[in-house]
């Protein structure tokens, strides 16, 4: 489990990943898992490079939002059976713990990443792929998309990479329990009805629609959007009273930005505000 050969560097628009595709256009970084012949499984190396990428996003002000998708009609089939699961059965406890912490670091990096993340989910979205979709801030589904947290299918617990903490907060405790205990696939229709997906679109439209949403976010007040993401995460562990106080401080900080003043001036002049992220 060696480190990837090319460390992530900024600006991200100039970075060439080894284990996924990356394009940065109009403030939106599109990450594409790109092993379509195997339904885009993850490897030790892709876990690490994705983690490093999301950490690097904090240092690139030109990236305002992120889209995550998969190539070839599928999102991701999860950890590669031969390149990950095979080696795991030969590891000792120390090595296995290092691996599970490393995979969890990807979710931590996605949640700590200041930019909102939109997942464009098509086809199969399973195992660690389902976790990546879950860890995103918003999810759009293509009709026919299927999501499964398959861990118990390989003899493991559903408590992997934050699933027991995050999934119930998205779809509710009972529904999350069902998916984690059975490992069954959740359909796009169920996912939309349960709140996992914001909406369902055609397979041809899922990536364009996700990019439109991400661009809309990218055109908004960057500092304020970052604060919204941070508070959405932090307030899980707060009482309502603590959350209200924390939001008061956060909103006061946003009121010191130039974007707040720009919004007022635009409103007064009856024009659309143009935010600059400061």
């Amino acid at each position: 489990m060696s480190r990837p050969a090319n460390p992530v560097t900024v600006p991200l628009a100039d970075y060439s990943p080894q284990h996924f595709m990356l394009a940065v256009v109009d403030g939106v970084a599109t990450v594409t898992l790109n092993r379509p012949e195997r339904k885009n499984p993850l490897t030790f190396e892709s876990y690490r490079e994705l983690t490093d990428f999301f950490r690097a996003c904090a240092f690139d002000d030109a990236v305002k939002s992120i889209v995550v998708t998969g190539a070839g009609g599928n999102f991701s089939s999860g950890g590669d059976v031969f390149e990950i699961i095979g080696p795991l059965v030969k590891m000792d406890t120390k090595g296995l713990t290092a691996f599970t912490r490393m995979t969890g670091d990807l979710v931590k990096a996605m949640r700590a990443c200041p930019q909102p993340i939109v997942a464009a989910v098509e086809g199969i979205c399973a195992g660690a792929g389902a976790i990546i979709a879950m860890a995103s801030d918003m999810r759009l589904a293509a009709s026919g998309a299927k999501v499964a947290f398959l861990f118990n299918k390989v003899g493991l617990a559903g408590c992997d990479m934050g699933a027991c903490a995050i999934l119930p907060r998205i779809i509710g405790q009972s529904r999350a329990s069902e998916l984690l205990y059975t490992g069954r696939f959740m359909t796009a229709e169920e996912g939309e009805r349960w709140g996992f997906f914001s909406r369902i679109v055609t397979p041809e439209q899922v990536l364009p629609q996700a990019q439109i949403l991400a661009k809309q976010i990218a055109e908004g007040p960057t500092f304020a959007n970052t604060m919204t993401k941070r508070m959405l995460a932090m307030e899980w562990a707060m009482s309502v009273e603590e959350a209200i106080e924390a939001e008061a401080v956060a909103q006061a900080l946003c009121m010191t930005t130039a974007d707040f003043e720009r919004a007022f001036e635009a409103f007064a002049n009856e024009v659309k505000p143009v935010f600059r992220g400061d």
Side-chain angles (χ1 to χ4, degrees):
M1 295 195 297
S2 60
R3 295 292 296 174
N6 62 333
V8 178
T9 55
V10 294
L12 292 169
D14 297 335
Y15 174 64
S16 298
Q18 289 187 344
H19 304 291
F20 55 89
M21 293 193 301
L22 175 65
V24 180
V25 179
D26 294 332
V28 178
T30 299
V31 172
T32 304
L33 306 176
N34 189 36
R35 298 179 70 196
E37 71 284 355
R38 301 276 296 278
K39 299 180 181 177
N40 308 315
L42 298 172
T43 65
F44 294 120
E45 293 77 18
S46 60
Y47 269 118
R48 287 200 176 93
E49 191 172 29
L50 284 165
T51 300
D52 290 346
F53 166 79
F54 284 110
R55 287 173 174 164
C57 286
F59 304 101
D60 192 342
D61 291 339
V63 173
K64 310 293 186 183
S65 60
I66 301 164
V67 172
V68 182
T69 191
N74 292 289
F75 189 77
S76 173
S77 57
D80 189 290
V81 173
F82 298 104
E83 295 185 40
I84 287 187
I85 297 178
L88 290 180
V89 300
K90 301 176 183 179
M91 289 184 188
D92 60 13
T93 300
K94 181 179 179 181
L96 291 169
T97 304
F99 169 74
T100 53
R101 286 176 173 158
M102 183 265 288
T103 61
D105 282 344
L106 173 56
V107 175
K108 292 178 183 178
M110 292 178 70
R111 287 170 50 78
C113 163
Q115 294 89 343
I117 304 168
V118 183
V121 179
E122 183 181 1
I124 297 298
C125 177
I131 294 289
I132 291 174
M134 177 196 76
S136 300
D137 299 287
M138 293 150 279
R139 291 155 294 275
L140 303 187
S143 54
K146 299 190 296 183
V147 180
F149 298 83
L150 294 174
F151 308 111
N152 81 323
K153 295 291 189 181
V154 295
L156 298 176
C159 56
D160 199 39
M161 300 173 69
C164 286
I166 300 173
L167 189 60
R169 290 178 165 93
I170 299 173
I171 65 174
Q173 187 80 11
S174 179
R175 290 162 174 164
S177 297
E178 178 185 341
L179 295 183
L180 295 175
Y181 280 122
T182 67
R184 77 166 179 86
F185 277 97
M186 171 178 61
T187 66
E189 291 74 20
E190 285 177 317
E192 183 188 37
R193 190 167 68 247
W194 293 357
F196 189 81
F197 292 119
S198 297
R199 60 182 178 271
I200 302 172
V201 298
T202 65
E204 296 77 17
Q205 282 296 306
V206 67
L207 179 56
Q209 287 296 315
Q211 290 173 326
I212 288 171
L213 175 58
K215 188 172 186 298
Q216 180 182 0
I217 293 167
E219 292 173 347
T222 304
F223 182 86
N225 286 342
T226 297
M227 190 66 74
T228 297
K229 178 166 180 173
R230 176 56 48 217
M231 298 310 295
L232 281 167
M234 289 177 59
E235 290 181 34
W236 283 6
M238 295 180 184
S239 68
V240 174
E241 289 75 17
E242 290 170 331
I244 292 171
E245 174 59 22
E247 289 190 4
V249 175
Q251 198 69 297
L253 286 173
C254 291
M255 291 174 181
T256 67
T257 63
D259 273 346
F260 178 62
E261 185 175 349
R262 290 186 189 103
F264 170 74
E265 291 174 352
F267 179 81
N269 291 296
E270 299 183 350
V271 297
K272 182 180 178 179
V274 176
F275 296 114
R276 298 179 185 172
D278 57 345

